Each structure stands twice: as C-alpha cells, then as structure tokens.
Amino acid sequence: MGRKPVLHSSLLKLAFALGSPFFNSKLTPVFGAEPLKEGEVFPGVIVIYTPGHTDDSISIYVEDEKALLVGDMLQGTKNGLRLPLIYEDLEQLRKSVEKVKQFKVERVYVSHGISGPPRWPL
C-alpha cells in the first residue's frame, strides 16, 4: 500500500501541497508476494534491513559485483552520497548507513541522483 511521505521542512510541505494533484495516483496492491527477510541469501545476493527512510526499507548487496542497491535510503550527488530530505526516522536512517558501510562495496546504486563509488555521508 502506498503511504504519504513524512515531511520535515516547511518548504517540502509546501512543495508537496502544491504538487499533490500531480503526485496522487492509484496504486495497485500486490497479492501473494512474500516479504524478504534480513540476512536472506540468494545466490550471491544478501538482503539487508535498512529502516529510516521508511520503516520497511531494505538494501541489497550483490557480492560478485561488490555493489549495493540502497534505493531511497541515500541520494547521489556529484560530491558523494547524502541522506534524503524525506525520512521517517533519522536515527534509524543513520544506523542503517553505518550498517551498510560494513560491506565491501565498490559501487552504490541509488534511486535518486548519481550512482557510483561509496562516498558516504558524514
């Protein structure tokens, strides 16, 4: 099920209020799908529970590629990775970043911005 983002700044609240007619769309639920579990291993792939952006966020580590797919947990800029402006729990988000930094990573793939080498946020 879709859910509304948790907004932490007045500017974002205004932007979403003005843009909401364009953002609203009907989402079709997925039935019969089984949720992934932290630590679940598929051949060469590890699921990592990384809450913070949302309480059910995961990241995926691809061992052979030394690649990490973080989705919306981080955003990529020309200066490196940064925390997103929209998140549910900042402390959890920071802990999740620390968790994924423990993996041997050569590339980080983000949903928003520039993917590339792991230049972690402070």
Side-chain angles (χ1 to χ4, degrees):
M1 295 298 295
R3 56 185 171 209
K4 292 187 178 191
V6 178
L7 306 173
H8 300 278
S9 77
S10 298
L11 183 60
L12 280 175
K13 289 176 184 176
L14 176 63
F16 271 78
L18 293 173
S20 65
F22 304 104
F23 299 143
N24 290 335
S25 63
K26 286 278 188 186
L27 297 175
T28 305
V30 176
F31 297 102
E34 293 189 28
L36 297 171
K37 296 172 184 64
E38 174 160 33
E40 194 166 0
V41 178
F42 300 91
V45 176
I46 299 172
V47 176
I48 309 158
Y49 177 55
T50 52
H53 174 67
T54 61
D55 64 357
D56 57 356
S57 293
I58 63 166
S59 294
I60 298 174
Y61 180 63
V62 182
E63 292 177 300
D64 291 349
E65 301 293 325
K66 292 188 174 93
L68 183 68
L69 290 75
V70 297
D72 289 340
M73 183 179 79
L74 294 168
Q75 296 177 341
T77 72
K78 62 182 178 183
N79 298 319
L81 299 168
R82 71 176 175 91
L83 298 176
L85 298 174
I86 299 172
Y87 54 86
E88 289 181 355
D89 186 323
L90 184 58
E91 185 60 30
Q92 282 288 335
L93 183 59
R94 291 182 193 277
K95 287 179 182 177
S96 291
V97 171
E98 290 304 312
K99 183 189 281 190
V100 297
K101 286 169 68 174
Q102 306 306 311
F103 288 81
K104 288 187 176 185
V105 175
E106 292 179 5
R107 289 198 58 84
V108 176
Y109 293 92
V110 297
S111 293
H112 303 285
I114 302 167
S115 296
R119 295 174 296 164
W120 303 109
L122 298 174

